[in-house]
Amino acid sequence: LSPRFTVPEREEGYGLNLEKIKKMNDESPVNLLITVDCGISDAETVEKIKELGIDVIVTDHHEPPVVLPDCVCINPKIAGQKYPFNGLCGAGVAYKLGYALIGAAADEQLDLVALATVADSMDLIDENRDIVFEGLKIFNPSKIRPALKNLLSGGTKKITAQTLAFQIAPRVNAGGRMGDALSAIKLFTSTDKNEIFDLSVKLNEYNILRQTECDVLYKEARAIISEKRL
């Protein structure tokens, strides 16, 4: 098996992107599509994907609609389930699927699940608290993955949930905000040290550019408000 991934840019929307999936399938046949953090509201799109001969598993944490996709749907918010906690982020739900498939080996990714949990502003209660607590253990200097170490501006000492929220998460998200959503996933999946370094630098640059553009928009908004008050 050769897993592949794709992430839509913001202007392409947040749900399942049929055209992207068709393109991937044309390049090399797709047997199984697993969504992360999307798909629960895309019943119609799922049917079109299935018509391509692709099986679908939806993992999502958003509020389920009345009509669910006709496929395996993993979402703690679906009514009638016995799962005791419905506050997982999208990556947390994907992690649960991974744990069901490969067991404790999935725990090796808990640093990324912790980062996603904090970045998505989930309440740090119940299972989320456990995920972040265990995930932060992997952020110690001897275990932290190079991709994350390179994104830390203040070193790797005393890494907390606040570190994830205010130092790492903005840099990871910056790629998607600046029209390069794939850069972060490439960073986390690459095994080439030079590529990891280059992608880290790129995301840091994107974050600086994002901050600059946000400042410009903020000043423009203040100017408009001031003008209207006059």
Side-chain angles (χ1 to χ4, degrees):
L1 294 175
S2 179
R4 290 175 285 162
F5 57 82
T6 187
V7 182
E9 300 295 345
R10 285 177 176 253
E11 62 268 19
E12 295 174 314
Y14 293 89
L16 280 175
N17 189 300
L18 183 61
E19 294 307 312
K20 273 187 173 289
I21 296 165
K22 284 182 177 179
K23 183 178 180 181
M24 290 183 72
N25 195 46
D26 290 341
E27 292 170 353
S28 178
V30 176
N31 298 314
L32 173 64
L33 173 71
I34 302 176
T35 77
V36 177
D37 201 19
C38 68
I40 200 67
S41 297
D42 294 314
E44 185 177 339
T45 304
V46 167
E47 286 305 307
K48 292 178 180 178
I49 293 170
K50 288 164 58 180
E51 289 172 4
L52 299 175
I54 302 172
D55 293 327
V56 181
I57 297 176
V58 166
T59 76
D60 202 345
H61 77 128
H62 293 101
E63 291 295 334
V66 175
V67 179
L68 297 175
D70 185 19
C71 65
V72 174
C73 293
I74 304 172
N75 184 329
K77 293 181 179 177
I78 294 175
Q81 299 182 116
K82 295 181 180 179
Y83 196 76
F85 182 62
N86 68 359
L88 295 168
C89 71
V93 179
Y95 158 71
K96 288 295 178 177
L97 173 60
Y99 197 95
L101 294 174
I102 62 175
D107 290 344
E108 296 175 8
Q109 310 302 324
L110 274 173
D111 54 341
L112 298 182
V113 185
L115 173 60
T117 300
V118 172
D120 208 17
S121 300
M122 308 307 295
D123 292 333
L124 297 188
I125 59 174
D126 205 288
E127 203 165 4
N128 285 340
R129 185 179 179 88
D130 295 335
I131 286 171
V132 173
F133 180 80
E134 294 299 327
L136 283 172
K137 292 179 181 179
I138 308 177
F139 279 87
N140 70 54
S142 65
K143 291 184 178 181
I144 187 170
R145 62 181 79 207
L148 294 173
K149 184 177 181 179
N150 290 345
L151 294 178
L152 281 168
S153 59
T156 56
K157 294 182 179 179
K158 295 182 180 179
I159 296 176
T160 66
Q162 286 72 29
T163 312
L164 307 188
F166 297 110
Q167 290 192 41
I168 300 181
R171 290 168 170 81
V172 173
N173 287 332
R177 295 182 183 276
M178 302 311 297
D180 187 8
L182 284 175
S183 56
I185 293 191
K186 288 178 180 177
L187 173 67
F188 293 135
T189 56
S190 176
T191 56
D192 182 277
K193 291 183 179 179
N194 292 326
E195 183 180 29
I196 290 172
F197 178 79
D198 290 342
L199 287 166
S200 301
V201 170
K202 180 185 286 188
L203 285 171
N204 275 305
E205 290 174 346
Y206 281 148
N207 190 49
I208 294 171
L209 182 58
R210 176 194 63 80
Q211 290 172 326
T212 302
E213 293 194 1
C214 284
D215 288 342
V216 170
L217 290 172
Y218 174 73
K219 290 176 181 177
E220 289 178 351
R222 282 186 62 88
I224 293 171
I225 292 171
S226 297
E227 183 179 347
K228 288 187 175 181
R229 282 179 179 174
L230 293 175

